[in-house]
Amino acid sequence: MYINLQIYTVKPIRYYIGMAKLTLDDTKKVASLARLQLTDKEIEKFTKQLSKVLDHIDELNQIDTKNVEPTSQTTGLVNVLRNDEIDETKVLTQDEALSGTENTINGFFVVPQILNKNV
């Protein structure tokens, strides 16, 4: 017996219940989807680790939960919110906020560019 694990719109991975044996190619595919560049040693390591995760999921799937009521949280707290108010005693002026750096332009912090315009 097997189940198909569907990851977004990618070809499903066939996972045999009780036999969580992932191939190195399965791990390479997951790494590719996550845009991870892994070494061969890392691929072997993560293949073993992912297989153990799937084995654990298989164990959990074997637990009889027919009489267990679903729950989304266990604290019993409902809508724990606070008023969105500004405490004027904890607010920095612009000069105070910028006082820790010399790298400013027109009253703003200057930081390294992280986005590429060509992307």
Side-chain angles (χ1 to χ4, degrees):
M1 179 166 156
Y2 66 88
I3 58 173
N4 286 326
L5 298 176
Q6 183 72 37
I7 302 173
Y8 303 106
T9 59
V10 181
K11 181 179 177 185
I13 298 172
R14 187 164 282 174
Y15 166 65
Y16 292 90
I17 294 178
M19 298 172 53
K21 293 293 180 187
L22 291 180
T23 65
L24 296 176
D25 287 336
D26 293 331
T27 303
K28 288 177 186 176
K29 182 66 177 178
V30 172
S32 171
L33 291 171
R35 300 192 190 288
L36 297 174
Q37 294 179 349
L38 302 177
T39 65
D40 289 342
K41 187 175 181 179
E42 290 172 323
I43 291 170
E44 288 182 34
K45 174 185 173 183
F46 294 135
T47 299
K48 291 175 187 174
Q49 290 179 353
L50 287 171
S51 289
K52 288 180 182 180
V53 169
L54 290 176
D55 284 339
H56 185 66
I57 291 170
D58 184 43
E59 283 181 46
L60 294 175
N61 283 334
Q62 294 176 23
I63 297 172
D64 181 14
T65 59
K66 290 179 186 171
N67 297 323
V68 177
E69 188 173 326
T71 183
S72 59
Q73 58 95 3
T74 59
T75 64
L77 300 175
V78 179
N79 294 333
V80 178
L81 303 174
R82 64 170 176 78
N83 291 333
D84 192 13
E85 298 173 352
I86 297 174
D87 183 352
E88 297 293 336
T89 63
K90 297 180 181 179
V91 176
L92 297 177
T93 66
Q94 186 174 18
D95 289 336
E96 291 171 331
L98 296 173
S99 67
T101 184
E102 294 177 9
N103 202 3
T104 63
I105 294 180
N106 296 330
F108 296 98
F109 289 101
V110 176
V111 297
Q113 180 177 344
I114 58 169
L115 301 176
N116 186 346
K117 293 179 182 179
N118 298 329
V119 176

Short mmCIF file of all heavy atoms in Angstrom, two decimals, residues 90-117:
data_model
loop_
_atom_site.label_atom_id
_atom_site.label_comp_id
_atom_site.label_asym_id
_atom_site.label_seq_id
_atom_site.Cartn_x
_atom_site.Cartn_y
_atom_site.Cartn_z
N LYS A 90 7.91 55.84 25.72
CA LYS A 90 8.79 54.82 25.14
C LYS A 90 9.11 55.10 23.68
O LYS A 90 9.64 54.23 22.99
CB LYS A 90 8.14 53.44 25.27
CG LYS A 90 7.95 53.01 26.70
CD LYS A 90 7.32 51.64 26.77
CE LYS A 90 7.10 51.22 28.23
NZ LYS A 90 6.46 49.91 28.31
N VAL A 91 8.77 56.28 23.18
CA VAL A 91 8.99 56.61 21.78
C VAL A 91 10.25 57.45 21.64
O VAL A 91 10.45 58.41 22.39
CB VAL A 91 7.77 57.39 21.22
CG1 VAL A 91 8.01 57.83 19.79
CG2 VAL A 91 6.53 56.53 21.29
N LEU A 92 11.09 57.10 20.67
CA LEU A 92 12.30 57.87 20.39
C LEU A 92 11.98 58.96 19.37
O LEU A 92 11.20 58.75 18.44
CB LEU A 92 13.39 56.98 19.80
CG LEU A 92 13.94 55.86 20.67
CD1 LEU A 92 14.96 55.03 19.88
CD2 LEU A 92 14.57 56.40 21.93
N THR A 93 12.64 60.09 19.52
CA THR A 93 12.55 61.11 18.47
C THR A 93 13.43 60.63 17.33
O THR A 93 14.25 59.71 17.48
CB THR A 93 13.07 62.47 18.97
OG1 THR A 93 14.47 62.35 19.25
CG2 THR A 93 12.30 62.94 20.21
N GLN A 94 13.29 61.27 16.17
CA GLN A 94 14.11 60.89 15.03
C GLN A 94 15.59 61.08 15.34
O GLN A 94 16.42 60.23 15.01
CB GLN A 94 13.71 61.69 13.80
CG GLN A 94 14.43 61.25 12.55
CD GLN A 94 13.92 61.96 11.31
OE1 GLN A 94 13.29 63.01 11.38
NE2 GLN A 94 14.23 61.38 10.16
N ASP A 95 15.94 62.17 15.99
CA ASP A 95 17.34 62.42 16.35
C ASP A 95 17.87 61.36 17.31
O ASP A 95 19.01 60.90 17.18
CB ASP A 95 17.49 63.81 16.96
CG ASP A 95 17.31 64.93 15.93
OD1 ASP A 95 17.54 64.65 14.73
OD2 ASP A 95 16.95 66.05 16.33
N GLU A 96 17.06 60.95 18.28
CA GLU A 96 17.48 59.90 19.21
C GLU A 96 17.68 58.57 18.50
O GLU A 96 18.64 57.84 18.76
CB GLU A 96 16.45 59.74 20.34
CG GLU A 96 16.38 60.91 21.29
CD GLU A 96 15.20 60.82 22.25
OE1 GLU A 96 14.16 60.21 21.88
OE2 GLU A 96 15.32 61.34 23.37
N ALA A 97 16.78 58.26 17.58
CA ALA A 97 16.88 56.99 16.85
C ALA A 97 18.13 56.95 15.98
O ALA A 97 18.78 55.91 15.86
CB ALA A 97 15.63 56.78 16.00
N LEU A 98 18.47 58.07 15.38
CA LEU A 98 19.62 58.13 14.48
C LEU A 98 20.93 58.41 15.20
O LEU A 98 21.99 58.42 14.57
CB LEU A 98 19.38 59.19 13.40
CG LEU A 98 18.22 58.92 12.45
CD1 LEU A 98 17.99 60.14 11.56
CD2 LEU A 98 18.47 57.68 11.63
N SER A 99 20.88 58.63 16.51
CA SER A 99 22.08 59.03 17.25
C SER A 99 23.16 57.95 17.30
O SER A 99 24.32 58.25 17.52
CB SER A 99 21.72 59.45 18.67
OG SER A 99 21.25 58.33 19.42
N GLY A 100 22.81 56.71 17.06
CA GLY A 100 23.79 55.62 17.15
C GLY A 100 24.53 55.35 15.86
O GLY A 100 25.32 54.42 15.79
N THR A 101 24.28 56.13 14.82
CA THR A 101 24.97 55.89 13.55
C THR A 101 25.34 57.22 12.90
O THR A 101 24.70 58.24 13.12
CB THR A 101 24.08 55.08 12.57
OG1 THR A 101 24.81 54.80 11.40
CG2 THR A 101 22.81 55.83 12.21
N GLU A 102 26.39 57.16 12.10
CA GLU A 102 26.75 58.34 11.32
C GLU A 102 26.31 58.18 9.88
O GLU A 102 26.40 59.11 9.08
CB GLU A 102 28.27 58.55 11.38
CG GLU A 102 28.76 58.91 12.76
CD GLU A 102 30.28 59.05 12.81
OE1 GLU A 102 30.92 59.04 11.74
OE2 GLU A 102 30.80 59.17 13.92
N ASN A 103 25.82 56.99 9.53
CA ASN A 103 25.47 56.66 8.16
C ASN A 103 23.99 56.95 7.91
O ASN A 103 23.15 56.07 7.96
CB ASN A 103 25.81 55.19 7.89
CG ASN A 103 25.99 54.91 6.41
OD1 ASN A 103 25.92 55.80 5.58
ND2 ASN A 103 26.23 53.65 6.10
N THR A 104 23.68 58.22 7.64
CA THR A 104 22.30 58.64 7.40
C THR A 104 22.25 59.56 6.19
O THR A 104 23.24 60.18 5.81
CB THR A 104 21.72 59.41 8.60
OG1 THR A 104 22.46 60.61 8.80
CG2 THR A 104 21.73 58.57 9.86
N ILE A 105 21.09 59.62 5.58
CA ILE A 105 20.82 60.56 4.49
C ILE A 105 19.42 61.11 4.70
O ILE A 105 18.45 60.34 4.81
CB ILE A 105 20.91 59.89 3.10
CG1 ILE A 105 22.34 59.45 2.80
CG2 ILE A 105 20.40 60.84 2.01
CD1 ILE A 105 22.51 58.77 1.45
N ASN A 106 19.30 62.42 4.77
CA ASN A 106 18.01 63.10 4.90
C ASN A 106 17.16 62.55 6.04
O ASN A 106 15.95 62.37 5.91
CB ASN A 106 17.22 63.02 3.59
CG ASN A 106 17.92 63.75 2.46
OD1 ASN A 106 18.63 64.72 2.67
ND2 ASN A 106 17.74 63.24 1.25
N GLY A 107 17.78 62.19 7.15
CA GLY A 107 17.03 61.73 8.31
C GLY A 107 16.65 60.26 8.27
O GLY A 107 15.81 59.82 9.04
N PHE A 108 17.27 59.47 7.39
CA PHE A 108 16.99 58.04 7.30
C PHE A 108 18.29 57.26 7.47
O PHE A 108 19.37 57.73 7.14
CB PHE A 108 16.36 57.68 5.94
CG PHE A 108 15.03 58.31 5.71
CD1 PHE A 108 14.90 59.47 4.96
CD2 PHE A 108 13.88 57.75 6.25
CE1 PHE A 108 13.67 60.05 4.74
CE2 PHE A 108 12.64 58.32 6.05
CZ PHE A 108 12.53 59.48 5.29
N PHE A 109 18.18 56.01 7.96
CA PHE A 109 19.33 55.12 8.04
C PHE A 109 19.76 54.74 6.63
O PHE A 109 18.92 54.52 5.75
CB PHE A 109 18.98 53.82 8.78
CG PHE A 109 18.78 53.99 10.26
CD1 PHE A 109 17.49 54.05 10.78
CD2 PHE A 109 19.85 54.08 11.12
CE1 PHE A 109 17.30 54.19 12.15
CE2 PHE A 109 19.67 54.22 12.48
CZ PHE A 109 18.39 54.29 12.99
N VAL A 110 21.05 54.59 6.40
CA VAL A 110 21.58 54.06 5.15
C VAL A 110 22.00 52.63 5.43
O VAL A 110 22.77 52.36 6.34
CB VAL A 110 22.78 54.89 4.64
CG1 VAL A 110 23.38 54.25 3.39
CG2 VAL A 110 22.36 56.32 4.37
N VAL A 111 21.47 51.70 4.64
CA VAL A 111 21.77 50.27 4.82
C VAL A 111 22.22 49.69 3.49
O VAL A 111 21.91 50.24 2.42
CB VAL A 111 20.53 49.50 5.36
CG1 VAL A 111 20.15 49.99 6.73
CG2 VAL A 111 19.36 49.61 4.40
N PRO A 112 22.93 48.56 3.51
CA PRO A 112 23.34 47.94 2.25
C PRO A 112 22.13 47.48 1.44
O PRO A 112 21.11 47.05 1.99
CB PRO A 112 24.17 46.73 2.69
CG PRO A 112 24.49 46.97 4.12
CD PRO A 112 23.44 47.85 4.67
N GLN A 113 22.24 47.58 0.13
CA GLN A 113 21.17 47.12 -0.75
C GLN A 113 21.07 45.61 -0.68
O GLN A 113 22.07 44.91 -0.76
CB GLN A 113 21.46 47.56 -2.18
CG GLN A 113 20.40 47.11 -3.17
CD GLN A 113 20.69 47.62 -4.58
OE1 GLN A 113 21.48 48.52 -4.77
NE2 GLN A 113 20.05 47.02 -5.55
N ILE A 114 19.84 45.09 -0.56
CA ILE A 114 19.66 43.63 -0.49
C ILE A 114 18.85 43.12 -1.68
O ILE A 114 18.82 41.93 -1.93
CB ILE A 114 18.97 43.20 0.82
CG1 ILE A 114 17.62 43.87 0.97
CG2 ILE A 114 19.88 43.49 2.01
CD1 ILE A 114 16.77 43.30 2.08
N LEU A 115 18.20 44.00 -2.41
CA LEU A 115 17.41 43.58 -3.56
C LEU A 115 18.12 43.98 -4.85
O LEU A 115 18.67 45.07 -4.95
CB LEU A 115 16.02 44.21 -3.52
CG LEU A 115 15.17 43.88 -2.29
CD1 LEU A 115 13.87 44.65 -2.34
CD2 LEU A 115 14.91 42.39 -2.20
N ASN A 116 18.04 43.12 -5.83
CA ASN A 116 18.65 43.37 -7.11
C ASN A 116 17.56 43.84 -8.07
O ASN A 116 16.53 43.19 -8.22
CB ASN A 116 19.32 42.10 -7.64
CG ASN A 116 20.09 42.33 -8.90
OD1 ASN A 116 19.95 43.35 -9.56
ND2 ASN A 116 20.93 41.36 -9.25
N LYS A 117 17.77 44.95 -8.73
CA LYS A 117 16.76 45.49 -9.65
C LYS A 117 16.54 44.59 -10.87
O LYS A 117 15.51 44.65 -11.51
CB LYS A 117 17.16 46.89 -10.12
CG LYS A 117 17.15 47.91 -9.01
CD LYS A 117 17.58 49.28 -9.52
CE LYS A 117 17.61 50.27 -8.38
NZ LYS A 117 18.05 51.60 -8.82
#
